[in-house]
Amino acid sequence: MSERPEYTPTELLAVVASRMLSDNQSVFVGTGLPLIAGMLAQRTHAPGLLLFFEAGSIGPRVPELPISVGDSRTYHQAIALSSMHDAMSLAQAGYVDVGFLGAAQIDPFGNINTTVIGSHQHPTARLPGSGGANDVASFAAKTIVILRQSARSFVPKLDFLTTPGYLDGPGARERAGLPAGTGPYRVITQLATYGFDPHSRRMTAASLHPGVTPERIRENSGFTIPLGENLPVSPVPSAEEIRLLREVIDPKGVVLSK
Amino acid sequence: MEILQSGEGQLLGFRDPDENRAWVQQNKSRALVDKRMSAAEAVSRFVRDGDFLAMGGFGHVRVSMALVYELIRQKRRGLRMAGKTAVHDSDVLIAAGCVDEIEVAYTFGHELRGLSPASRRAAQSGRLKVIAEISNAGYQWRFLAGMMGLPFIPTRNMLGTDTLKKSSAKVVRDPFTGKPVCLVPAAYPDVALIHVHRCDRFGNSQIDGILVEDFELSRCARRLIVTTEKLISEEDIRREPAQTVIPYFLVDAVVEVPFGAHPTLMPQLYYSDEQHIAEWLSMSRTDEGVRQYLERYVFGVPDFAAYLEAVGGQARLRQLGRIERYEEPSITPWAQRDGKGER
């Protein structure tokens, strides 16, 4: 048995995600790690972070980890309990700065699959479908995707393009009719954070997490990711962030001990 | 308008708005009639085999489970379901063999609890047919178009994706901006089942907390059965009309069922019964387990009151109330681990 590390890869993921959020931003969050990142940001550097939930809760101070994005834990000290029509319309009209999503598969353009593995008609694995992900990634000014990276999740071609990233490259979102200036901003995994090249709209590395080598990035991706020179190292969690994650936000380890 | 793309998904529950207006004028009475009845009578009168069914609530929140169990008990078959973040309801109905076809925005998952063994098994074996994909906002706006008596609503989601390709939506060139825009077709469910906090005997209903899609769904569905935690008087409704979410003329049946959303969550009243949901997730790993579950909790009990006894009675229900009010910590029994942080 090794000693308990100072932080786990999942905790690092949550902290890196949390630090991408700014105070007084609006964030549309999904269940699990995206929500944990938002809860952590609210308790540290971004107390004015405005949370949107698709089922209709707006602006809550979430006291403990909700199981569902419609859970009553998402209503706690909210500014409004509204409807999906309202939350989604506000997003479509431009009131959401950041959309924060999970994913099963992602491709070099930041497109996401959460619908099927295999063919649509005869899937080897049926997944839940878009949920609100397609909507959030269509409407939010910036989308951040958080997922566990492996050669099976970072794929050159998705089995099903559930949710739009940059589709097939520069200008494709606008040509398809998606709101102008939107698209994926960052992808965060247990190994690194990635951005998108402004010209090719393909994924590039933005920072490697402490101790991660370029070889591990290559081994854990089904497509080539340009690593560039002198990549920065991702920020390391503070003791306070780890304490909040373990003692306040997810004390039972429902998400963080995965 | 120039059609740029047509989704190849099956068009579920669409009607010409004029046809629906005519149906509404003939079938939806404006009279103040006492609509109270039992769950058994409501289902037998207003839900037919093959109906397009949409459930109120969201995932594990404010779902009319009392009517879900009654659909199973009365062996409704061939239902076509709106998978509009339909989670526990659709999982149990699919497992019980009531649903043949589904249009999926979000199904087959229980959010943090993991994926649904039973309904995924049905989809992967072909027993359940996924006839179209859509997104949550897309489904919501199908209901909005229906509620407004329109054939479609223009939206800016789904564009450029396989979700649109497998949906029943179309992409046209917007005559105002010249940009491509998605049109989601109106949906008119044959029947919707919605659980509310309070209503009067005519069906005037109040909901506390998020409405999700129920404002729109109650207005686009042809038949609407409301189950309620509590019956209140018409005077109570008229004293605070701003609280009315669903007016009586939309409602066909009123069923008083305290705890009628169990095991899902009823905002401010009781939290979701995670122990019971964990039991379902565990038993539904096999067809035999599904059979045993339904025997224990649906066919083996005469009504919802007996079901509540079978799931732990007043002691359990009071505990769920304490959890909802933060007086007792919530539990996550489906997240069993071996102590080393591994599942």
Side-chain angles (χ1 to χ4, degrees):
Chain A
M1 289 291 290
S2 62
E3 270 190 63
R4 192 173 168 79
E6 277 184 33
Y7 54 85
T8 67
T10 310
E11 285 168 341
L12 176 66
L13 208 85
V15 168
V16 171
S18 155
R19 293 209 193 164
M20 276 183 198
L21 302 172
S22 313
D23 203 11
N24 301 319
Q25 248 183 349
S26 57
V27 187
F28 209 117
V29 285
T31 318
L33 275 171
L35 178 49
I36 284 182
M39 290 169 70
L40 180 60
Q42 266 191 343
R43 284 166 172 77
T44 51
H45 61 282
L49 190 71
L50 176 67
L51 298 177
F52 274 75
F53 289 89
E54 60 181 336
S57 178
I58 297 173
R61 295 179 176 140
V62 180
E64 61 176 33
L65 183 64
I67 298 166
S68 152
V69 286
D71 190 320
S72 48
R73 270 45 181 166
T74 69
Y75 316 158
H76 190 71
Q77 295 182 4
I79 51 158
L81 295 182
S82 176
S83 67
M84 185 179 286
H85 175 41
D86 191 27
M88 289 297 190
S89 296
L90 287 166
Q92 186 168 248
Y95 284 95
V96 170
D97 300 318
V98 178
F100 221 136
L101 303 172
Q105 278 185 334
I106 193 164
D107 75 7
F109 294 110
N111 302 304
I112 294 172
N113 174 19
T114 53
T115 302
V116 286
I117 304 296
S119 78
H120 185 256
Q121 195 156 18
H122 303 289
T124 50
R126 176 68 220 199
L127 304 174
S130 159
N134 181 297
D135 312 313
V136 171
S138 296
F139 303 150
K142 291 175 177 175
T143 303
I144 301 175
V145 184
I146 192 161
L147 81 165
R148 270 161 247 276
Q149 180 177 349
S150 72
R152 286 173 62 204
S153 65
F154 271 50
V155 296
K157 190 170 176 3
L158 301 173
D159 291 356
F160 191 95
L161 199 168
T162 312
T163 293
Y166 288 108
L167 300 176
D168 60 3
R173 286 178 68 94
E174 288 76 10
R175 279 195 299 278
L178 290 167
T182 56
Y185 167 66
R186 286 285 185 272
V187 177
I188 311 170
T189 77
Q190 79 283 14
L191 300 178
T193 61
Y194 305 93
F196 292 86
D197 180 273
H199 302 293
S200 68
R201 295 301 197 191
R202 284 178 181 270
M203 203 185 289
T204 60
S207 70
L208 299 187
H209 297 344
V212 174
T213 59
E215 287 69 39
R216 278 188 68 198
I217 302 292
R218 280 193 276 276
E219 283 162 18
N220 286 286
S221 177
F223 54 86
T224 306
I225 305 172
L227 296 176
E229 302 280 308
N230 304 320
L231 265 183
V233 175
S234 311
V236 176
S238 71
E240 175 63 2
E241 284 167 323
I242 294 299
R243 185 193 71 79
L244 285 167
L245 288 175
R246 290 182 189 171
E247 294 176 19
V248 178
I249 295 171
D250 186 15
K252 292 194 285 275
V254 174
V255 170
L256 290 174
S257 69
K258 270 188 193 170
Chain B
M1 267 188 288
E2 181 192 356
I3 297 178
L4 303 173
Q5 189 187 352
S6 290
E8 57 197 50
Q10 196 177 310
L11 182 55
L12 177 62
F14 179 79
R15 295 176 192 282
D16 183 316
D18 280 329
E19 181 206 333
N20 205 61
R21 280 175 58 92
W23 189 92
V24 163
Q25 299 213 323
Q26 276 168 20
N27 293 281
K28 297 295 267 197
S29 167
R30 276 65 150 172
L32 278 169
V33 176
D34 188 343
K35 294 166 190 156
R36 286 173 297 171
M37 61 187 79
S38 68
E41 186 184 354
V43 165
S44 76
R45 280 181 59 186
F46 295 110
V47 190
R48 298 153 307 170
D49 285 354
D51 270 355
F52 170 27
L53 166 72
M55 299 293 302
F58 178 93
H60 290 76
V61 180
R62 203 171 42 70
V63 178
S64 182
M65 290 305 297
L67 292 179
V68 165
Y69 297 133
E70 192 55 36
L71 290 172
I72 297 170
R73 199 174 285 120
Q74 294 193 22
K75 296 196 163 62
R76 281 292 171 279
R77 288 294 176 265
L79 296 174
R80 297 169 302 148
M81 193 158 177
K84 32 99 30 196
T85 301
V87 176
H88 196 69
D89 46 14
S90 65
D91 200 18
V92 180
L93 284 168
I94 291 165
C98 302
V99 177
D100 287 354
E101 297 180 343
I102 191 158
E103 178 179 31
V104 173
Y106 184 98
T107 316
F108 310 113
H110 290 248
E111 299 192 61
L112 279 192
R113 306 170 189 87
L115 296 170
S116 317
S119 50
R120 291 181 79 215
R121 206 159 56 238
Q124 288 163 198
S125 70
R127 199 167 76 217
L128 172 77
K129 215 170 150 213
V130 174
I131 56 174
E133 302 284 338
I134 193 166
S135 69
N136 275 357
Y139 228 126
Q140 149 65 35
W141 287 328
R142 289 200 67 195
F143 296 146
L144 180 68
M147 159 187 149
M148 292 176 74
L150 293 173
F152 57 80
I153 289 268
T155 74
R156 303 190 75 191
N157 54 349
M158 302 201 283
L159 292 155
T161 65
D162 291 339
T163 304
L164 192 141
K165 216 174 276 175
K166 295 291 179 189
S167 78
S168 56
K170 291 183 192 297
V171 181
V172 300
R173 192 166 302 287
D174 163 15
F176 292 95
T177 65
K179 295 174 184 173
V181 71
C182 174
L183 305 182
V184 293
Y188 296 96
D190 293 314
V191 62
L193 316 177
I194 298 180
H195 191 63
V196 304
H197 288 80
R198 295 167 296 279
C199 77
D200 69 12
R201 64 199 165 115
F202 309 116
N204 291 305
S205 302
Q206 301 178 346
I207 293 172
D208 297 335
I210 52 170
L211 298 180
V212 198
E213 291 149 272
D214 293 350
F215 186 89
E216 294 81 10
L217 175 59
S218 63
R219 285 155 174 77
C220 67
R222 284 193 161 182
R223 296 296 186 190
L224 172 59
I225 309 177
V226 165
T227 52
T228 182
E229 289 288 326
K230 200 173 145 188
L231 271 171
I232 58 174
S233 69
E234 185 188 357
E235 290 67 40
D236 288 335
I237 292 288
R238 291 186 186 276
R239 195 174 301 121
E240 287 191 90
Q243 297 303 309
T244 304
V245 175
I246 304 173
Y248 74 95
F249 48 84
L250 300 168
V251 177
D252 295 285
V254 170
V255 184
E256 186 183 12
V257 202
F259 298 99
H262 182 279
T264 71
L265 178 159
M266 194 63 184
Q268 299 175 16
L269 296 180
Y270 47 94
Y271 200 68
S272 44
D273 188 340
E274 296 302 327
Q275 209 169 313
H276 187 79
I277 293 166
E279 187 180 352
W280 162 252
L281 288 175
S282 161
M283 291 182 82
S284 64
R285 285 173 200 280
T286 64
D287 288 341
E288 175 55 21
V290 167
R291 201 192 58 74
Q292 286 173 12
Y293 177 92
L294 295 177
E295 190 48 44
R296 190 179 303 165
Y297 294 115
V298 184
F299 297 117
V301 291
D303 55 22
F304 197 73
Y307 158 86
L308 289 177
E309 279 308 308
V311 300
Q314 281 305 315
R316 173 71 67 86
L317 299 174
R318 277 196 295 269
Q319 182 192 23
L320 298 176
R322 291 194 298 273
I323 295 173
E324 176 63 7
R325 294 187 300 273
Y326 298 96
E327 293 163 12
E328 195 176 311
S330 59
I331 54 165
T332 53
W334 30 262
Q336 292 296 339
R337 291 192 179 76
D338 63 6
K340 287 180 247 164
E342 299 296 324
R343 278 181 194 248

